[in-house]
Amino acid sequence: MSNIIGTGFNVGSTDGELASFHDDMRALADMGVDTVELGLTSLDLISGGRIIPERMQRLEAITKQFDFRYTVHGLVSSNFMDPVTQRYQIDAAKALIEVCDRVDARIIVQHGGCLRADQIAERNGADQREREALTELADFARPYGVRIALENIFTTELGQYRQTPSQVAETVKAVNHPNVVALIDFSHAYIESTYRGLDFFSEISAMAPVTGHLHVHDSFGRPQGFYKPFHPQENTAMGIGDLHMPLGWGDIDWDRIFSELTFLPDTVLMMEVGHRYRAEQPESLRRARELAGLAAPEAVAAQ
């Protein structure tokens, strides 16, 4: 039993405005998607940890046009290990939790933290800083019924301190809060496992028992390294980097993953396969529903 309750795609604004955000949502509604992850920090919605009221009203009006199940992606740059910006990040995340409540989203994505190679003095206590910040945020989120989903990321700089997927699971266990779950990003785990010489399936298996949210997109698990493509499609051509490709374009063994791993109740399988692949999204949606054991959408977008 997978415990997966829905699947769909993430949406975001291409220019910081709500019109492009709405257009992305409309395209997914027309496709028959039932679940959407709102990339809210692609919008000017929060200012200095405060919600911008008129923008919030417009966002609420847009989300009410559709019968989606919503989740929210928080700050993509989130990093609770960073002592300089941590307070600002927590304030912004708390504002986003209030937004979650207003759009009826019960999951917010929080990226796992990291330190640069030169942050030697900050290395001691980095894990504890992150755990304390997650606890504070989870206590704030509890009355709203929102869960923080801590996502595994991959190493992006030489000498960077970054937790492995199994270590992210240990962080979630250590926080031990009902409003904190792990988020497996399978491509991120694949890339990091390749980079560190770890067993990919063992790493994601360690996360599964505490996982309440999934990010699904395909890749070949090949670290970016120093290669810089001229066009993003050149990365795709060589299978390098965090590609966010449609399901089946890479070599991740989705059948094994979803036949052998079980996740927490009320888990959403969210595909981070964006509008660049609009033509391929319907097939990825069909495949994801098959993998999750969802024969048909549980909610049909309003016409």
Side-chain angles (χ1 to χ4, degrees), residues 9-292:
F9 298 98
N10 61 306
V11 300
S13 172
T14 58
D15 56 5
E17 290 290 342
L18 284 150
S20 61
F21 199 80
H22 172 271
D23 291 346
D24 206 4
M25 294 173 70
R26 171 50 62 192
L28 296 182
D30 292 343
M31 198 183 297
V33 169
D34 62 85
T35 305
V36 164
E37 187 149 289
L38 304 173
L40 293 184
T41 59
S42 67
L43 296 167
D44 287 303
L45 185 65
I46 309 295
S47 175
R50 297 171 298 177
I51 297 170
I52 303 169
E54 60 274 18
R55 289 261 176 161
M56 184 67 236
Q57 290 169 8
R58 291 168 59 196
L59 176 66
E60 284 185 279
I62 289 171
T63 57
K64 287 176 181 176
Q65 292 178 31
F66 306 98
D67 192 23
F68 291 134
R69 174 191 292 105
Y70 291 114
T71 65
V72 164
H73 200 304
L75 295 165
V76 178
S77 60
S78 56
N79 178 9
F80 281 168
M81 291 185 185
D82 179 28
V84 176
T85 63
Q86 188 198 72
R87 184 69 258 161
Y88 309 140
Q89 291 186 51
I90 293 172
D91 291 344
K94 286 181 176 180
L96 285 167
I97 285 169
E98 293 185 52
V99 174
C100 285
D101 189 55
R102 291 173 66 170
V103 301
D104 196 23
R106 302 303 154 189
I107 280 281
I108 184 168
V109 175
Q110 168 76 27
H111 281 186
C114 64
L115 290 176
R116 300 185 312 274
D118 63 350
Q119 288 182 287
I120 298 170
E122 288 82 5
R123 174 62 186 89
N124 184 34
D127 292 346
Q128 187 60 29
R129 277 196 301 277
E130 180 174 61
R131 292 173 183 182
E132 289 172 358
L134 286 167
T135 299
E136 178 182 340
L137 190 61
D139 285 343
F140 181 85
R142 191 201 296 258
Y144 294 100
V146 173
R147 295 191 295 178
I148 295 95
L150 184 65
E151 179 176 357
N152 61 291
I153 314 296
F154 55 94
T155 300
T156 57
E157 298 175 359
L158 286 176
Q160 183 182 67
Y161 172 67
R162 175 78 74 182
Q163 290 186 332
T164 64
S166 56
Q167 288 170 334
V168 171
E170 289 305 313
T171 291
V172 172
K173 292 174 185 175
V175 171
N176 191 28
H177 196 293
N179 292 77
V180 177
V181 298
L183 187 168
I184 300 177
D185 186 303
F186 295 98
S187 178
H188 292 177
Y190 193 11
I191 292 167
E192 189 69 356
S193 295
T194 301
Y195 176 70
R196 297 205 189 196
L198 303 171
D199 182 79
F200 167 59
F201 202 79
S202 294
E203 288 294 305
I204 60 175
S205 295
M207 288 189 74
V210 292
T211 291
H213 199 59
L214 305 173
H215 277 174
V216 170
H217 44 98
D218 225 333
S219 76
F220 293 92
R222 299 171 186 168
Q224 185 71 40
F226 293 104
Y227 177 74
K228 296 185 187 301
F230 185 81
H231 299 291
Q233 289 81 1
E234 293 171 349
N235 264 355
T236 305
M238 291 186 286
I240 292 174
D242 188 29
L243 296 169
H244 287 263
M245 295 188 300
L247 275 62
W249 281 34
D251 65 359
I252 295 177
D253 190 347
W254 300 113
D255 287 313
R256 182 186 180 191
I257 287 169
F258 286 97
S259 63
E260 295 187 23
L261 298 186
T262 300
F263 313 104
L264 294 173
D266 299 325
T267 293
V268 165
L269 189 167
M270 182 53 55
M271 286 179 285
E272 290 191 313
V273 179
H275 56 79
R276 170 180 163 191
Y277 297 114
R278 187 73 79 208
E280 288 75 28
Q281 281 180 328
E283 173 57 21
S284 284
L285 182 63
R286 183 204 66 77
R287 178 72 170 125
R289 285 175 176 158
E290 176 185 68
L291 290 167

